[in-house]
Amino acid sequence: MNDILKADLNALKVLDVLLDECSVSQAAKRLHVTQPSVSYTLQKLRDLFDDPLFVRNPRGLTPTSRAESLRPAIKQLLSDAQQLIAPPVFVPEEAEFTLSVSANDYLQIALIVPLVQRIRALAPKVKVALFDLDSKAAAERVRGGELDLMLSFPQALPADFSSEELFTDPYIAAARQGHPLADQQASAESFLGYDHVIVSPTGFAFEGGLFRDLHHSPLLDKVAVTLPNFAVLPSLLAASDLIAMIPRRLLSVMSGPLSEVKIAATMPSITVAAAWHPRLDHDLAHRWVRNLLRAEALLA
Amino acid sequence: MNDILKADLNALKVLDVLLDECSVSQAAKRLHVTQPSVSYTLQKLRDLFDDPLFVRNPRGLTPTSRAESLRPAIKQLLSDAQQLIAPPVFVPEEAEFTLSVSANDYLQIALIVPLVQRIRALAPKVKVALFDLDSKAAAERVRGGELDLMLSFPQALPADFSSEELFTDPYIAAARQGHPLADQQASAESFLGYDHVIVSPTGFAFEGGLFRDLHHSPLLDKVAVTLPNFAVLPSLLAASDLIAMIPRRLLSVMSGPLSEVKIAATMPSITVAAAWHPRLDHDLAHRWVRNLLRAEALLA
DNA sequence: AAAAGATATAAAAATGAACGATATCTTGAA
DNA sequence: TTCAAGATATCGTTCATTTTTATATCTTTT
């Protein structure tokens, strides 16, 4: 049996040219090799197909009927191969895929929402599936190919993932519009004169990134309320004189009008990164999304 | 630009196995080469596709999205290639082509007619185009691919054609049924007592194969009629007491009932051969026809 | 009769692929 | 913790195959 594993597929490229030229010499010219080289390859082809393929005529070669019958299939095969190795192109307007992203609620609001708007404007057929972030499970789902992207803090990202830092956002203090300290330069005393609310998934355990910087800060003693996420923060602030520490980017995009409380102290900040499986490093669609994400991160 | 002439198509066979195994080591086992060899080919593939194709994981390799997207096309391509190099098969029942044959009228009657019957019985979709023989023009038409086969005498066939002798047929003497000499052993005298008719395309010039052997034969003096072909011979014989010299095979297949006139003299004979362009030597359909022709020639 | 132009062949050179040994990394087990 | 197992990548070296140069052979053409 004539097995493909034994066959030299590269010889088919020579056969293709031979079919065009019907001349070993001319084919050699076109292939930029010498005539004996093509003659040698022709021998291999004759062996492979168990057919002379070409018989001599005064001016070169006449293809056998087998060679003629091979012609269309050879052309098709090489054209397919050319397609195969051609660099892939990504056309946003026509791209059709689902992007699955996991992010905490801060990043959902501050980054993903505007990202989705950009995506929908440029690539209307692309769907986006957004998931809350559960770091441990998320990493596994990235590994399994269920998730394309996870957004979190650099420390929370698996080391074997590809990742990219997006931006660093300083915390600011915020309160309801009309709050006594709103839009003012507040002193430390007046700032600590109000009770505070902080988003802390672990409650008063205060574990996680932000709280490293605030470890023995007097601020923590003034925290009266902790929230698991930013969702209800606007309405809580609106209905009280509580002051919240939030990343700056949330100030403008969070629903409900809030004011900044300016204080002299240098505030901690959080750095945000995107991570994905290295398998997607060169994926054109994925790279396109990452470019959009990077552009969005650079704004404001 | 990534040109197919530069690409090593054989590497695609390795990529195919790699996509199956997701392991350089396993792929190497399946390919019966060493692991570094596959690793080396993988490098070439990475270069060719400008993509890592696989990233490492604890147990081997994880394909990139590009590699995954390549998978179906690779499978298809290799399957096509396998088809391409697979030995061709010829199925008479389904074969669909036109066989163009040129032969003199003797062979048309004695060989081609039964051949057509065989062909029609075995390969109902095959058409046969029959042409009278004009050796010079026929050879050119064979060379040009218009004719698939020419049947003639070995001397009349171009030397650069492939050819095969089919049979040798002795001349016999024939006359109408009821002729005084019919079915008898005739003496030379009684045989020469009748006028004769002979097929001689050149008339009384008596040129050609048969007449070499009869050059100074007294028979030629008794020839009263010459015919350009065998077509009208039966009716001429039926309507006269003429005796004809015809190849034995014509006796049974020629229309109109004829009887043999047996004579003691050793008769000349003609040898018949088929010729075709060497390009068709390995053509399966052509070989099938030649086999039928050979089988038919062996009969009677 | 020789010159031109074609393919095939032979020996030598050069290229490229496969090998064995080894480095490096990760995982899983003692 | 350490060690063994198992994975890919890398490094020279060896070996096989392709390519080249040179030549033979055949046919056509001048």
Side-chain angles (χ1 to χ4, degrees):
Chain A
M1 184 49 50
N2 219 351
D3 194 2
I4 193 176
L5 289 176
K6 291 277 178 191
D8 178 8
L9 297 188
N10 291 322
L12 298 181
K13 295 185 284 194
V14 177
L15 177 53
D16 178 53
V17 177
L18 276 171
L19 280 167
D20 281 356
E21 300 290 339
C22 283
S23 156
V24 171
S25 308
Q26 296 307 311
K29 281 204 186 87
R30 248 182 62 180
L31 292 165
H32 301 108
V33 293
T34 58
Q35 171 264 322
S37 173
V38 174
S39 182
Y40 173 74
T41 306
L42 178 54
Q43 276 188 66
K44 286 202 309 180
L45 286 163
R46 284 170 166 157
D47 211 49
L48 173 62
F49 288 104
D50 196 24
D51 185 283
L53 296 177
F54 296 89
V55 296
R56 297 192 58 161
N57 72 25
R59 284 212 289 280
L61 299 175
T62 303
T64 66
S65 58
R66 181 79 198 282
E68 283 291 0
S69 77
L70 251 25
R71 166 177 248 127
I74 290 260
K75 296 274 178 211
Q76 186 63 50
L77 191 80
L78 293 182
S79 160
D80 289 350
Q82 176 67 71
Q83 276 297 321
L84 188 72
I85 64 177
V89 292
F90 178 76
V91 181
E93 292 76 19
E94 299 167 5
E96 209 163 347
F97 63 93
T98 298
L99 177 73
S100 297
V101 187
S102 176
N104 60 35
D105 69 329
Y106 155 50
L107 290 171
Q108 288 181 24
I109 297 174
L111 255 191
I112 303 300
V113 167
L115 176 69
V116 167
Q117 288 170 336
R118 282 171 178 263
I119 288 178
R120 294 194 57 76
L122 298 174
K125 294 180 188 165
V126 171
K127 301 180 179 181
V128 178
L130 188 51
F131 297 91
D132 280 323
L133 184 73
D134 174 355
S135 286
K136 300 167 284 270
E140 275 321 299
R141 294 173 65 196
V142 167
R143 244 179 278 273
E146 295 171 66
L147 272 180
D148 300 310
L149 205 56
M150 60 185 289
L151 271 55
S152 187
F153 313 115
Q155 314 85 357
L157 300 174
D160 60 332
F161 281 11
S162 295
S163 64
E164 178 181 353
E165 288 198 0
L166 293 173
F167 59 79
T168 296
D169 205 13
Y171 271 83
I172 61 167
R176 66 170 168 86
Q177 281 190 334
H179 187 282
L181 298 185
D183 300 318
Q184 297 180 23
Q185 188 71 28
S187 67
E189 291 75 25
S190 58
F191 182 68
L192 291 174
Y194 288 88
D195 277 347
H196 286 245
V197 52
I198 274 183
V199 171
S200 167
T202 54
F204 285 93
F206 293 144
E207 291 172 359
L210 168 65
F211 304 104
R212 269 199 297 270
D213 293 326
L214 298 175
H215 205 43
H216 287 101
S217 159
L219 177 64
L220 291 187
D221 288 334
K222 298 297 291 180
V223 172
V225 181
T226 74
L227 297 176
N229 55 56
F230 290 93
V232 296
L233 190 55
S235 42
L236 178 59
L237 290 182
S240 70
D241 279 347
L242 288 167
I243 295 178
M245 296 280 288
I246 62 173
R248 150 160 286 142
R249 283 184 179 235
L250 278 183
L251 190 64
S252 54
V253 298
M254 221 158 56
S255 64
L258 293 182
S259 296
E260 179 173 359
V261 176
K262 301 192 179 85
I263 53 179
T266 60
M267 305 288 268
S269 62
I270 55 173
T271 294
V272 168
W276 60 92
H277 196 279
R279 157 175 27 95
L280 299 170
D281 278 355
H282 289 71
D283 185 302
L284 287 187
H286 204 266
R287 289 169 71 159
W288 178 78
V289 168
R290 298 201 307 264
N291 282 338
L292 287 189
L293 190 63
R294 190 179 310 116
E296 186 58 43
L298 287 176
L299 293 179
Chain B
M1 186 50 35
N2 219 351
D3 194 3
I4 192 177
L5 289 176
K6 291 277 178 190
D8 179 8
L9 297 187
N10 291 323
L12 297 181
K13 294 184 285 195
V14 176
L15 177 54
D16 177 53
V17 177
L18 275 170
L19 280 166
D20 282 355
E21 300 290 339
C22 282
S23 155
V24 172
S25 309
Q26 296 307 311
K29 280 204 187 85
R30 247 182 60 180
L31 292 165
H32 301 106
V33 293
T34 59
Q35 172 265 322
S37 172
V38 174
S39 183
Y40 171 70
T41 306
L42 178 53
Q43 276 188 67
K44 286 201 309 179
L45 286 163
R46 285 170 165 156
D47 211 48
L48 173 62
F49 288 103
D50 196 26
D51 185 283
L53 297 177
F54 296 89
V55 296
R56 297 192 57 160
N57 73 24
R59 283 213 290 280
L61 300 176
T62 303
T64 65
S65 59
R66 180 80 198 280
E68 284 291 0
S69 76
L70 251 26
R71 167 177 247 129
I74 292 261
K75 296 273 179 213
Q76 186 62 50
L77 191 80
L78 293 181
S79 160
D80 289 349
Q82 176 68 73
Q83 274 298 321
L84 189 72
I85 64 178
V89 292
F90 177 77
V91 182
E93 291 77 19
E94 300 168 3
E96 209 164 346
F97 63 92
T98 297
L99 177 73
S100 297
V101 187
S102 176
N104 60 35
D105 70 327
Y106 154 52
L107 291 171
Q108 288 181 24
I109 297 173
L111 253 190
I112 304 300
V113 166
L115 176 69
V116 167
Q117 288 171 338
R118 282 172 178 261
I119 289 177
R120 294 195 57 78
L122 298 173
K125 293 180 189 166
V126 171
K127 301 179 179 181
V128 178
L130 189 51
F131 296 91
D132 280 323
L133 186 72
D134 174 355
S135 287
K136 300 167 283 275
E140 275 321 297
R141 294 172 66 195
V142 168
R143 244 181 279 273
E146 296 172 65
L147 273 179
D148 300 311
L149 205 58
M150 60 185 287
L151 271 57
S152 186
F153 313 114
Q155 314 85 357
L157 300 175
D160 60 332
F161 281 12
S162 296
S163 64
E164 178 181 354
E165 287 197 2
L166 295 173
F167 60 78
T168 294
D169 205 13
Y171 271 83
I172 60 166
R176 65 172 170 85
Q177 282 190 333
H179 188 281
L181 299 183
D183 299 318
Q184 297 180 19
Q185 189 72 27
S187 68
E189 290 77 26
S190 58
F191 181 70
L192 290 175
Y194 287 88
D195 278 347
H196 286 244
V197 53
I198 275 182
V199 172
S200 165
T202 55
F204 285 93
F206 292 146
E207 291 172 359
L210 168 64
F211 303 105
R212 270 199 296 271
D213 294 325
L214 298 175
H215 204 41
H216 288 100
S217 159
L219 175 64
L220 292 187
D221 289 332
K222 297 297 290 179
V223 172
V225 182
T226 73
L227 297 176
N229 55 56
F230 291 93
V232 297
L233 190 56
S235 41
L236 178 60
L237 289 182
S240 70
D241 279 348
L242 288 166
I243 296 177
M245 297 279 289
I246 61 173
R248 149 160 287 142
R249 283 183 180 235
L250 279 182
L251 189 66
S252 54
V253 298
M254 220 158 58
S255 65
L258 294 181
S259 297
E260 180 174 358
V261 176
K262 301 193 179 87
I263 54 178
T266 61
M267 305 288 267
S269 61
I270 54 174
T271 295
V272 168
W276 60 91
H277 195 280
R279 157 176 25 98
L280 299 170
D281 278 356
H282 289 70
D283 184 303
L284 286 186
H286 204 266
R287 289 169 71 158
W288 178 78
V289 168
R290 299 202 306 265
N291 282 337
L292 287 190
L293 190 63
R294 191 179 309 116
E296 185 59 42
L298 287 176
L299 292 180

